[in-house]
Amino acid sequence: CASCNTSIEPNIECPVCLCDSKLVDMIKPCGCDHSFCAECWNDHIESYISEKRLMYDPKTQYYTIKCLEEGCDEGIKNPNDIKSLVSKQLYDRYNDIACEKALFLQNQGVSCPNHECGAAMIAPDDETIIRLQCYACGTLFCKNCHTHWHDNKTCEEHMMEVDPKSYLAIKNLTKPCPKCKTSIEKNEGCNHVTCTNCGNQFCWLCLTPWPGT
């Protein structure tokens, strides 16, 4: 009957796993309209934490997880939402990485390029020292291009040898953040750019600090 039908909770298909979930169980913690089931959010957050791919949100001024929707630049707005979606162990790991990034990357730090490590460290001020070694895993890497150490090769020669297609795409479409050297792609018309890795705000055209920041 009509009165019975009104009490039935509608189901909705999760865009990622394509499983039916109750509408009330679909979660949208990023301030946008993109909603996904809790299991997909958990997998997404776990993947980003394991790869240390936290993004800096200038609105909340902390490191967070990017929205699950491809192409969306929003991030999870409240750390408690991350806490509610993952295990305590994973949330503690997230906090450790966020603190590490805040303490090191905002102070001219660099990250180990080893995807299984990603430890942050302070790079020497001496411009002649470009060969660095990660204190955590021992990986040798280049301070200038943030890739594995390339003895007797320039950064460009090394990148062209390892992955020429990706290197040319990065070179043509992105610019390095003046502070942490992360490749930044401008997706809107404004030249006021904020690095998602360290929060540095700068001018896209001249790479100098944005006035007033």
Side-chain angles (χ1 to χ4, degrees):
C1 65
S3 60
C4 293
N5 288 336
T6 58
S7 65
I8 298 176
E9 195 171 344
N11 286 350
I12 186 171
E13 185 179 80
C14 174
V16 174
C17 65
L18 305 181
C19 294
D20 284 339
S21 299
K22 293 181 180 179
L23 184 60
V24 70
D25 292 331
M26 295 293 284
I27 303 168
K28 47 180 180 180
C30 297
C32 54
D33 291 328
H34 304 127
S35 60
F36 305 90
C37 70
E39 186 175 348
C40 286
W41 273 116
N42 178 278
D43 292 344
H44 175 69
I45 294 171
E46 183 175 359
S47 173
Y48 267 60
I49 291 175
S50 66
E51 297 175 7
K52 293 191 172 185
R53 293 170 60 193
L54 272 59
M55 62 171 276
Y56 180 79
D57 186 343
K59 297 176 183 176
T60 58
Q61 296 188 336
Y62 72 88
Y63 287 91
T64 186
I65 304 295
K66 192 175 183 294
C67 178
L68 218 165
E69 178 73 16
E70 185 176 354
C72 180
D73 293 327
E74 294 292 334
I76 297 177
K77 298 301 181 186
N78 192 328
N80 287 328
D81 288 329
I82 298 176
K83 186 176 183 179
S84 68
L85 289 165
V86 298
S87 66
K88 182 181 183 302
Q89 181 180 5
L90 196 60
Y91 182 71
D92 289 343
R93 179 61 176 150
Y94 155 74
N95 271 329
D96 289 343
I97 297 171
C99 290
E100 189 178 67
K101 282 181 172 289
L103 289 172
F104 291 97
L105 295 180
Q106 297 234 24
N107 291 284
Q108 301 297 333
V110 294
S111 296
C112 173
N114 180 357
H115 293 303
E116 296 181 357
C117 176
M121 54 189 287
I122 300 295
D125 289 334
D126 190 340
E127 294 183 359
T128 64
I129 301 176
I130 60 172
R131 183 177 180 265
L132 304 180
Q133 183 170 24
C134 175
Y135 68 90
C137 70
T139 296
L140 295 173
F141 64 98
C142 175
K143 182 173 72 172
N144 291 337
C145 64
H146 291 201
T147 62
H148 290 270
W149 179 245
H150 42 87
D151 203 14
N152 299 321
K153 291 186 178 71
T154 65
C155 295
E156 184 168 2
E157 288 172 343
H158 171 67
M159 297 297 289
M160 285 294 291
E161 184 178 277
V162 172
D163 191 347
K165 186 176 180 180
S166 295
Y167 172 69
L168 290 174
I170 292 173
K171 184 177 181 180
N172 293 330
L173 300 175
T174 69
K175 291 184 180 181
C177 169
K179 190 171 185 179
C180 71
K181 307 305 181 185
T182 298
S183 294
I184 305 294
E185 182 177 0
K186 185 165 73 77
N187 56 11
E188 294 181 358
C190 181
N191 289 317
H192 181 188
V193 178
T194 300
C195 176
T196 57
N197 185 54
C198 70
N200 179 39
Q201 299 182 51
F202 61 95
C203 173
W204 176 260
L205 298 178
C206 62
L207 300 181
T208 58
W210 191 258
T213 61

